[in-house]
Amino acid sequence: MTEQEKLETLFEVFETDQLTSGTRLDTLNWDSMAMLSVIAVAKANGKAISGDAIRSFSTVGEILAAL
């Protein structure tokens, strides 16, 4: 999955096309459903993100790095 594909997936998760790696998650709808969506995307791409790890994320860039 390319960086652009990851970002486009996050556009869908957060229902916006205004994301950069520096976007703070506390400015978005970063709730349990968004967290589960990110975990599912990671799993579909052979990656695993723990609950503790996902709760520690504070920027879109941290999600992109984990995906």
Side-chain angles (χ1 to χ4, degrees), residues 48-65:
I49 303 174
S50 71
D52 287 339
I54 204 153
R55 284 188 297 276
S56 74
F57 293 162
S58 61
T59 65
V60 168
E62 291 172 313
I63 296 173
L64 293 173

Side-chain angles (χ1 to χ4, degrees), residues 1-10 41-42 45 67:
M1 185 175 231
T2 68
E3 231 18 58
Q4 185 60 36
E5 290 170 329
K6 292 176 189 179
L7 199 52
E8 288 173 9
T9 299
L10 294 181
V41 169
N45 288 291
L67 295 177

Side-chain angles (χ1 to χ4, degrees), residues 1-42:
M1 185 175 231
T2 68
E3 231 18 58
Q4 185 60 36
E5 290 170 329
K6 292 176 189 179
L7 199 52
E8 288 173 9
T9 299
L10 294 181
F11 290 160
E12 292 177 26
V13 170
F14 294 112
E15 299 177 350
T16 183
D17 60 357
Q18 302 297 316
L19 297 176
T20 67
S21 61
T23 302
R24 296 207 38 88
L25 297 175
D26 58 8
T27 66
L28 302 169
N29 188 22
W30 185 231
D31 59 12
S32 59
M33 290 304 293
M35 290 179 188
L36 288 174
S37 295
V38 170
I39 289 170
V41 169

